[in-house]
C-alpha cells in the first residue's frame, strides 16, 4: 500500500457506508467530512445572494471573489454529495480554495436536493444559476469569455448536464467544464468494485441508494441530462478537464465520458489519480492529502492553457 493510499484510507476509515445511515445522519456526516481548518482570509469578498429559480423558487448562492485585478474567470461550482448531500455551508471551504488557487470568481449554488426534490429540480436550479452568472459577468467583475462550469461527483454530473443543456438550448455560452470523478450514467454497466485497498468511501450500494433517491423512475435515468454518457451526441460541448480516481467505483464511467467527449471532437484533458479514493479532491485539510492540492493545481494549469492563447493575442494587439 502506498503512503498516499494509507493517508486517504485513514481519513475515510471511520465513515460508515452512506446507504446504512438515515438521510439526516448522512447529511451531517458528509458536512463533518468536508469541514477543514484553514485560514482563508485572502479573498477579496464573499457574498450571499439568491437567484430566481426555474419553478418559482429562489436558489441561494454564495459568490467568492479573489484578490487582484479583474476581470476574472467565472466558475460555477456544483457540489457533490450524491444529489442528496452537501450545501453552501459544507462546500464553503472547497469554494474558498478554488477561488484563491484558481483566481476565479466562484459561484456556489445551493441547488435543491433529493429525495425531497427529484430530477431534474437540482439540475434546473444549477442551469438557472449559470444563466444568471453569465448574464452578470461585468457586475461580478468577471470575464464573459471565461465562463466555466465544474463540480465533483454528482456535481460533475450536473456540470456535464448543464453543458449539454446550454448547447441544446443555444446558451448561455460556456467556455470550459471541469468534471472531477463525475457520475455520468445511471446504467450499472460499470458496477464493478475497484481493485485495491479495503476502503473506497463510496461503494455500489451507496451509488444505487443515491440514484434511487434522485430519480422518479428508470426512464428518467436514461435522459442525457441525468446520464450524460447516454447522450447520442456529445459534439460542440466546451473543452473539458476530467479527473478520476483509481480506487473509485466511478472511475470507469468517468474515463468512458472523457473518451466519448474526445471521440466527438471535444478537447479533453484526462488524469487518473493513482491510489486515490472517491472524495479525495475535497480533502484539503490535515492530514494533508497532497493529491487534492495537485488536482487543484492541475485544473489551474488546464484553465491557463485553455485561455492563455487568447490572452497572448490580446497582448500582441495592445
Amino acid at each position: 500500500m502506498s503512503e498516499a493510499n494509507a493517508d486517504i484510507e485513514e481519513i475515510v476509515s471511520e465513515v460508515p457506508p452512506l446507504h446504512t445511515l438515515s438521510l439526516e445522519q448522512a447529511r451531517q456526516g458528509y458536512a463533518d467530512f468536508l469541514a477543514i481548518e484553514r485560514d482563508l482570509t485572502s479573498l477579496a469578498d464573499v457574498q450571499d445572494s439568491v437567484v430566481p429559480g426555474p419553478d418559482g423558487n429562489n436558489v441561494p448562492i454564495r459568490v467568492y471573489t479573489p484578490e487582484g485585478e479583474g476581470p476574472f474567470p467565472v466558475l460555477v461550482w456544483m457540489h457533490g454529495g450524491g444529489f442528496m448531500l452537501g450545501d453552501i455551508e459544507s462546500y464553503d471551504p472547497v469554494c474558498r480554495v478554488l477561488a484563491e488557487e484558481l483566481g476565479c470568481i466562484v459561484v456556489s449554488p445551493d441547488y435543491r436536493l433529493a429525495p425531497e426534490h427529484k430530477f431534474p429540480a437540482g439540475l434546473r436550479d444549477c442551469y438557472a444559476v449559470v444563466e444568471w452568472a453569465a448574464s452578470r459577468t461585468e457586475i461580478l467583475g468577471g470575464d464573459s469569455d471565461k465562463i466555466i462550469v465544474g463540480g465533483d461527483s454528482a456535481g460533475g454530473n450536473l456540470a456535464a448536464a448543464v453543458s449539454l443543456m446550454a448547447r441544446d438550448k443555444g446558451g448561455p455560452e460556456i467556455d470550459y467544464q471541469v468534471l472531477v470523478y463525475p457520475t455520468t450514467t445511471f446504467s450499472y454497466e460499470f458496477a464493478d468494485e475497484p481493485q485495491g485497498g479495503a476502503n473506497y468511501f463510496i461503494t455500489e450500494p451507496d451509488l444505487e441508494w443515491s440514484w434511487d433517491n434522485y430519480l422518479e423512475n428508470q426512464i428518467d435515468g436514461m435522459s442525457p441530462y441525468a446520464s450524460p454518457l447516454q447522450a447520442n451526441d456529445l459534439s460542440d460541448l466546451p473543452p473539458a478537464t476530467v479527473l478520476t480516481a483509481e480506487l473509485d467505483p466511478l472511475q470507469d464511467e468517468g474515463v468512458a465520458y472523457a473518451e466519448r467527449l474526445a471521440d466527438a471532437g471535444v478537447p479533453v484533458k484526462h488524469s487518473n489519480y493513482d491510489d486515490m479514493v472517491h472524495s479525495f479532491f475535497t480533502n484539503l485539510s490535515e492530514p494533508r492529502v497532497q493529491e487534492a492540492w495537485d488536482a487543484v493545481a492541475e485544473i489551474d494549469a488546464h484553465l491557463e492553457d485553455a485561455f492563455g492563447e487568447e490572452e497572448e493575442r490580446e497582448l500582441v494587439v495592445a
Side-chain angles (χ1 to χ4, degrees), residues 51-55 59 61 74 76 78 107 109 123-138 140 147-149 162-163 165-174:
V51 170
D55 301 314
V59 185
I61 63 169
V74 177
V76 180
M78 298 150 212
V107 180
L123 172 61
R124 284 167 54 81
D125 287 352
C126 290
Y127 186 79
V129 171
V130 173
E131 283 189 308
W132 176 90
S135 68
R136 287 164 175 79
T137 51
E138 185 174 348
L140 293 172
I147 305 297
I148 309 156
V149 297
V162 164
S163 296
M165 291 183 73
R167 180 201 63 181
D168 296 345
K169 293 176 177 288
E173 189 73 26
I174 296 172

Side-chain angles (χ1 to χ4, degrees), residues 270-290:
H270 168 247
S271 292
N272 187 63
Y273 280 75
D274 295 339
D275 294 321
M276 290 293 101
V277 300
H278 193 81
S279 287
F280 84 91
F281 179 78
T282 53
N283 194 82
L284 298 163
S285 62
E286 300 294 342
R288 186 183 181 96
V289 176
Q290 183 59 45

Side-chain angles (χ1 to χ4, degrees), residues 160-170 173-174 177 224-225 228-240 257-268:
V162 164
S163 296
L164 282 165
M165 291 183 73
R167 180 201 63 181
D168 296 345
K169 293 176 177 288
E173 189 73 26
I174 296 172
Q177 53 181 326
Y225 300 145
L229 189 61
Q230 301 298 325
N232 292 326
D233 179 15
L234 294 179
S235 63
D236 299 320
L237 289 172
Y257 194 65
E259 291 174 347
R260 283 280 318 276
L261 287 171
D263 289 344
V266 176
V268 178

